[in-house]
Amino acid sequence: MRAKPASTNMSEDLSEPASLTFAVAGHLLTAAKAVPGLHLVSTPIGNLGDITLRALETLAGVDIIACEDTRITRRLTERYGISALLKPYHEHNAALARPKILERLAQGASIALVSDAGTPLISDPGFKLVREACAAGHQVIALPGPSSVLAALAVAALPTDRFFFEGFLPPKETARRARLTELARIDATLVLFESGNRIEDTLRDLADIMGTREGAVCRELTKLHEEVRRAPLPELAKSAGALETRGEFVLVIGPPAASAQIMAQHDLDDVLRSALKRDSVKDAVAHAVEVSGRPRREVYARALQLARQDHARDGDGED
């Protein structure tokens, strides 16, 4: 059953409601009319078979499905025979589309919000819509399901009792390294998103800043070419040039070991030498203090000593 074309008018009269049915394994099932409110529906991150029965029934039973890209969501609705009115809701049109969705909710409509993949609002648009829907007194219902964050944590073979989800890092090197320095202080497993064109640089920065922590590179989770690499960060950085860069990446970094709270002297020297090559003494010391756990006075004295040694070595090499 083919989905109806998406209109640009969120407030149009739905005089001909979609058929409240969906198909699973060749069986046509009838969906109950969804209750009024905003339904946050998790959709597959790759494998369309990961959709839940509750999600299918809700998508078939709502008045409107608000989605990032109607073309992507239509693949899902067509796969399961859902006749749905699809409306675009993404970061570029949210300011205009959001009041129309709220207007329909005020009229008693049932509306599903989906992202292109995974759980809505996790690095995807929707926060302002949910906040304003709640403020207006509309019912907001979450339908849990696929999440690349949780999938990566599950397969990384790293501690999951505490984790911190960062999302995407800044694309510029200076800002990225500064943020990683802050993240290095968090005593928990870290979960990051990254694009293929920056994965090599990010792994290099992770190894430089977080040392020998264990990590996992998860690519194309649940999809045909799923790949998971597990190793200490320096090994992952060393082999990053051989990675297939097409697809979506989730990086998982284990927490610092208890013994790693105070950095060993030779590791501190390596951090300082690396930082002094690109930064001032002041900035290099600030970075080293962050990642080493050592007192600033000690780190500053060592930085000056290393700078003098490097300067003397460069002077000895002159003709």
Side-chain angles (χ1 to χ4, degrees):
M1 189 178 297
R2 189 170 183 81
K4 295 181 180 180
S7 167
T8 58
N9 184 2
M10 186 72 72
S11 301
E12 70 180 4
D13 178 26
L14 302 181
S15 57
E16 296 183 6
S19 174
L20 303 184
T21 58
F22 62 100
V24 177
H27 299 282
L28 190 65
L29 304 175
T30 300
K33 180 68 173 69
V35 299
L38 183 63
H39 302 254
L40 310 179
V41 182
S42 300
T43 56
I45 60 176
N47 190 322
L48 293 184
D50 290 337
I51 192 76
T52 68
L53 289 174
R54 183 185 174 202
L56 290 175
E57 183 173 16
T58 298
L59 293 177
V62 295
D63 298 310
I64 299 169
I65 299 177
C67 49
E68 283 188 88
D69 189 326
T70 56
R71 296 167 298 181
I72 292 176
T73 301
R74 187 168 287 116
R75 296 181 201 142
L76 179 66
T77 57
E78 289 182 344
R79 163 75 176 267
Y80 291 101
I82 296 173
S83 178
L85 183 64
L86 305 182
K87 296 291 186 177
Y89 183 80
H90 47 73
E91 60 181 343
H92 302 296
N93 80 335
L96 294 175
R98 190 161 53 250
K100 297 177 181 179
I101 294 177
L102 293 169
E103 179 184 351
R104 289 307 315 275
L105 290 173
Q107 295 170 357
S110 55
I111 298 177
L113 176 69
V114 302
S115 64
D116 284 346
T119 302
L121 278 71
I122 307 301
S123 286
D124 287 312
F127 164 66
K128 291 182 179 179
L129 174 60
V130 170
R131 182 173 61 181
E132 293 187 25
C134 290
H138 303 306
Q139 187 172 10
V140 177
I141 305 159
L143 280 71
S147 166
S148 60
V149 175
L150 298 181
L153 276 168
V155 301
L158 294 169
T160 58
D161 54 333
R162 285 192 297 174
F163 66 90
F164 183 89
F165 172 59
E166 172 68 7
F168 284 98
L169 293 166
K172 300 295 185 180
E173 180 181 5
T174 300
R176 181 173 63 244
R177 291 181 65 89
R179 182 56 183 157
L180 286 176
T181 298
E182 295 172 350
L183 293 174
R185 299 174 62 87
I186 298 175
D187 186 18
T189 295
L190 306 175
V191 185
L192 315 172
F193 287 164
E194 193 51 278
S195 63
N197 63 330
R198 290 195 298 267
I199 187 68
E200 187 172 356
D201 291 339
T202 296
L203 285 172
R204 183 194 63 234
D205 290 341
L206 280 166
D208 186 25
I209 293 170
M210 298 193 188
T212 58
R213 289 198 204 182
E214 294 289 324
V217 178
C218 307
R219 186 180 74 88
E220 293 289 88
L221 287 171
T222 79
K223 300 177 184 177
L224 180 61
H225 300 291
E226 176 179 311
E227 178 184 12
V228 180
R229 296 190 181 191
R230 306 173 186 87
L233 290 173
E235 293 183 27
L236 292 174
K238 185 177 181 180
S239 63
L243 278 173
E244 169 59 67
T245 58
R246 288 176 295 182
E248 299 176 346
F249 289 83
V250 183
L251 304 179
V252 186
I253 301 96
S259 60
Q261 295 302 313
I262 302 300
M263 184 177 285
Q265 183 64 54
H266 66 276
D267 290 330
L268 173 63
D269 287 356
D270 289 343
V271 168
L272 282 170
R273 286 194 174 98
S274 176
L276 286 168
K277 290 179 181 178
R278 63 178 182 274
D279 298 325
S280 66
V281 170
K282 178 181 177 181
D283 290 341
V285 168
H287 167 65
V289 169
E290 288 278 358
V291 301
S292 70
R294 288 176 174 265
R296 179 179 177 80
R297 179 179 297 180
E298 175 188 340
V299 174
Y300 182 75
R302 185 56 178 164
L304 292 179
Q305 186 178 10
L306 291 175
R308 286 194 295 268
Q309 290 176 0
D310 290 344
H311 180 72
R313 188 181 303 111
D314 292 341
D316 290 342
E318 294 178 358
D319 293 330

